[in-house]
Amino acid sequence: MVSRVIPVETFDLVIFGGTGDLARRKILPGLFRRFRSGQMPEGSRIIGAARSEIDSDGYRAMIAEAIAEFGGDEASDSDSLAAFLATLDYVAIDAKGDGGWADLAQKVRSDVVQAFYFSVAPSLFGDLAERLHSHKIATPDSRIVVEKPFGRDLDTARALNAVLSTHFNEDQIYRIDHYLGKETVQNLMAVRFGNVLFEPLWNNHYVDHIQITVAETVSVAGRGSYYDKSGAMRDMVQNHLMQLLCLIAMEPPSRFGADEVRDEKLKVIRALQPVAPHHIVRGQYDAGPDGPSYRNDAENPRSFTESFVALKCHIANWRWAGVPFYLRTGKRMKARSSEITVVFKDLGHTIFEGDTARHRNILSIRLQPNEGMDLQVTIKEPGPGGMRLIDVPLDMTFADALGADAEEVTDAYERLIMDVIRGNQTLFMRGDEVEAAWRWTDPIIQGWEARNDVPKLYDAGSTGPEDAMMLLHRDGRKWREVKG
């Protein structure tokens, strides 16, 4: 199998916050990979913009160091790196003032695709949008990319949408969630809508329940002050897990188009039922041999912010009535793992006498690490002595199935930035979608705040609080094992 690289149009990409952590770790190393693959056409330019008073040569040196650190083995290609660095430029700019904007206006061309990446705090979105227009830099075809957090509740999300819509149309705004750029997430849609094997079974007649897990081994150290004002619900559930839930539960769109896909995702969010308090588990990691407690990392000894949350959700529509969706995410857990699991129902009748064990078909979609999917099927155990049944996986790990091509699978940020240049919004959130997600999330947060709920402590390196296990045990089910 050979991966096809389709070049995009010539572009100018301005990265506000171009000296920041995200730009150095993800955005620019990813663009270097796209340049090296031939997807970034000759004549395209990348312009960093930030407060730092450095010149263009200084910026190129900074990015060369970043690519050497975060760019992987490809960073050793000195010829490609030198050619890529030649596409970079830099402007020292004041987001809230007029400094640097005239210089930026001279550098950005109006006859190529224009994209502006807001890799800055959301409080600066409005200032940047306003100045791009007041200095006559942006055009009606310009695109802006905005990072999460997109608000911290419904009111602030509405305010951000209103600020951006003052200066840009909805079809110019790309709200990025890197989870949607993952190869396996997009394969989820291909598996569902491209195979007659699955779509007829994708409903409450055949599916017992669905689990979505995003487990992390990292702590909040280094970003504790931010995280303590956010928590797992705002930081992960409202965006990442919500997007995965939408893709697994949505109806087939009429075609694979941006608004058609996002219309169906919006229907899922609007059909989510309120979550009962006894279907919510919140946790905080405790101190362990490998590190301090959450409260120490957050530098808040009285913090009630959750580093773990698990929910039991229901979708009120014909397809999913009665099927529970179990969501969980947490820090300092046993392993780094993101997985969607579709557990199908038991057979209505078994012809195999003496087979007391339950044998279920389970589809597991692994987002990270070891991207791929497997389908658990029941077969006869080899050997004489009667019909004994065992469960085995039909495994499609990308690294095994695609061989060397698996190494060429693009990073999520690479794919999404190229989609911005193409003008393809399919994998980006729409304004009404963001607001609908907050409309469902806000009452959950307000409820536990009104009840003064205290998160349950859990051991670092575990799978979360014991109460999360009971959330499924009460229903006669159990979580899938968290493993890397």
Side-chain angles (χ1 to χ4, degrees):
M1 182 183 296
V2 178
S3 178
R4 290 190 301 160
V5 174
I6 303 174
V8 297
E9 295 181 55
T10 304
F11 63 86
D12 280 351
L13 172 64
V14 179
I15 305 173
F16 293 106
T19 60
D21 188 66
L22 179 62
R24 292 183 297 104
R25 285 177 175 270
K26 289 289 186 181
I27 299 174
L28 285 153
L31 286 167
F32 171 60
R33 288 190 66 187
R34 292 302 88 214
F35 176 87
R36 190 170 178 271
S37 73
Q39 195 166 20
M40 183 174 158
E42 185 177 351
S44 295
R45 297 187 305 184
I46 301 165
I47 303 167
R51 292 191 304 174
S52 301
E53 293 288 345
I54 57 177
D55 59 16
S56 295
D57 287 339
Y59 186 62
R60 294 184 188 106
M62 175 190 294
I63 301 309
E65 291 178 1
I67 291 174
E69 184 175 358
F70 304 113
D73 294 338
E74 295 177 338
S76 61
D77 184 348
S78 58
D79 291 340
S80 293
L81 179 58
F84 174 73
L85 293 175
T87 70
L88 302 186
D89 207 342
Y90 181 80
V91 176
I93 208 157
D94 181 0
K96 291 183 172 291
D98 292 324
W101 288 96
D103 292 339
L104 182 62
Q106 291 181 345
K107 293 179 184 292
V108 178
R109 297 167 291 178
S110 60
D111 58 346
V112 299
V113 174
Q114 289 183 353
F116 303 95
Y117 201 125
F118 291 7
S119 181
V120 296
S123 60
L124 296 177
F125 288 176
D127 296 302
L128 295 177
E130 179 183 353
R131 281 160 178 76
L132 283 172
H133 275 85
S134 63
H135 290 272
K136 296 181 171 54
I137 300 173
T139 72
D141 295 324
S142 296
R143 294 137 201 189
I144 62 169
V145 185
V146 293
E147 278 280 348
K148 75 165 191 136
F150 200 84
R152 56 173 284 105
D153 53 28
L154 178 58
D155 289 342
T156 54
R158 281 173 170 165
L160 276 174
N161 278 336
V163 166
L164 294 178
S165 64
T166 301
H167 304 284
F168 293 93
N169 297 325
E170 182 63 35
D171 61 6
Q172 295 178 277
I173 303 171
Y174 291 71
R175 299 170 186 83
I176 192 168
D177 184 335
H178 71 274
Y179 261 62
L180 293 184
K182 290 181 179 293
E183 189 73 23
T184 322
V185 173
Q186 294 174 73
N187 253 317
L188 173 58
M189 288 189 281
V191 167
R192 274 201 62 189
F193 304 130
N195 294 279
V196 70
L197 175 66
F198 289 114
E199 182 57 26
L201 307 180
W202 216 262
N203 56 60
N204 56 6
H205 296 296
Y206 300 100
V207 174
D208 180 78
H209 71 279
I210 293 175
Q211 299 179 23
I212 302 176
T213 295
V214 178
E216 300 177 280
T217 56
V218 298
S219 69
V220 302
R223 60 193 291 257
S225 59
Y226 157 76
Y227 194 92
D228 205 43
K229 297 180 178 68
S230 173
M233 192 70 184
R234 289 187 174 97
D235 188 55
M236 293 294 293
V237 175
Q238 186 274 337
N239 40 74
H240 297 330
L241 271 71
M242 179 71 72
Q243 292 299 308
L244 298 180
L245 172 64
C246 288
L247 293 178
I248 202 81
M250 72 185 205
E251 294 296 317
S254 59
R255 66 185 184 93
F256 190 62
D259 278 329
E260 288 81 0
V261 170
R262 296 188 295 181
D263 285 345
E264 297 303 333
K265 287 163 59 185
L266 179 61
K267 291 177 185 176
V268 173
I269 301 173
R270 288 176 172 171
L272 279 169
Q273 295 182 320
V275 181
H278 62 283
H279 290 161
I280 303 168
V281 177
R282 300 168 68 229
Q284 266 187 9
Y285 62 81
D286 204 355
D290 297 328
S293 68
Y294 170 83
R295 291 184 172 186
N296 283 337
D297 283 337
E299 299 180 351
N300 182 357
R302 300 180 62 84
S303 174
F304 286 170
T305 301
E306 74 284 354
S307 63
F308 174 99
V309 66
L311 305 167
K312 177 183 176 182
C313 311
H314 284 92
I315 299 172
N317 62 21
W318 285 100
R319 181 183 290 265
W320 296 116
V323 177
F325 288 72
Y326 299 100
L327 315 182
R328 67 172 167 173
T329 182
K331 303 285 189 186
R332 291 292 303 277
M333 293 183 69
K334 178 181 179 182
R336 175 176 173 263
S337 175
S338 296
E339 184 178 78
I340 301 170
T341 304
V342 181
V343 181
F344 293 93
K345 290 184 176 180
D346 291 333
L347 287 170
H349 171 71
T350 179
I351 65 173
F352 304 107
E353 294 184 4
D355 181 44
T356 58
R358 294 201 314 182
H359 295 276
R360 283 183 166 176
N361 297 125
I362 298 174
L363 177 65
S364 173
I365 301 119
R366 300 184 304 277
L367 310 182
Q368 64 182 19
N370 303 321
E371 292 188 352
M373 53 187 72
D374 62 61
L375 176 64
Q376 180 176 294
V377 297
T378 302
I379 66 169
K380 176 189 176 295
E381 183 178 3
M387 181 69 73
R388 297 185 303 275
L389 305 183
I390 59 172
D391 295 326
V392 297
L394 298 177
D395 190 1
M396 195 199 81
T397 301
F398 284 172
D400 296 335
L402 302 181
D405 283 336
E407 299 177 4
E408 298 299 320
V409 171
T410 55
D411 177 78
Y413 276 97
E414 298 173 44
R415 175 179 292 105
L416 293 173
I417 293 172
M418 292 298 100
D419 278 353
V420 172
I421 305 303
R422 292 189 186 96
N424 184 353
Q425 291 185 304
T426 304
L427 300 176
F428 296 83
M429 291 178 287
R430 205 167 56 192
D432 54 358
E433 187 182 345
V434 171
E435 292 182 15
W438 280 119
R439 193 173 290 111
W440 178 76
T441 304
D442 278 358
I444 298 173
I445 297 173
Q446 292 163 1
W448 71 50
E449 287 177 347
R451 295 188 300 270
N452 291 318
D453 285 353
V454 178
K456 307 290 185 182
L457 291 179
Y458 63 93
D459 293 335
S462 71
T463 57
E466 188 66 26
D467 287 27
M469 305 299 110
M470 294 304 300
L471 186 64
L472 271 73
H473 289 172
R474 287 195 297 264
D475 298 338
R477 303 181 175 103
K478 64 180 181 179
W479 288 107
R480 289 268 292 179
E481 182 183 357
V482 174
K483 55 185 179 180

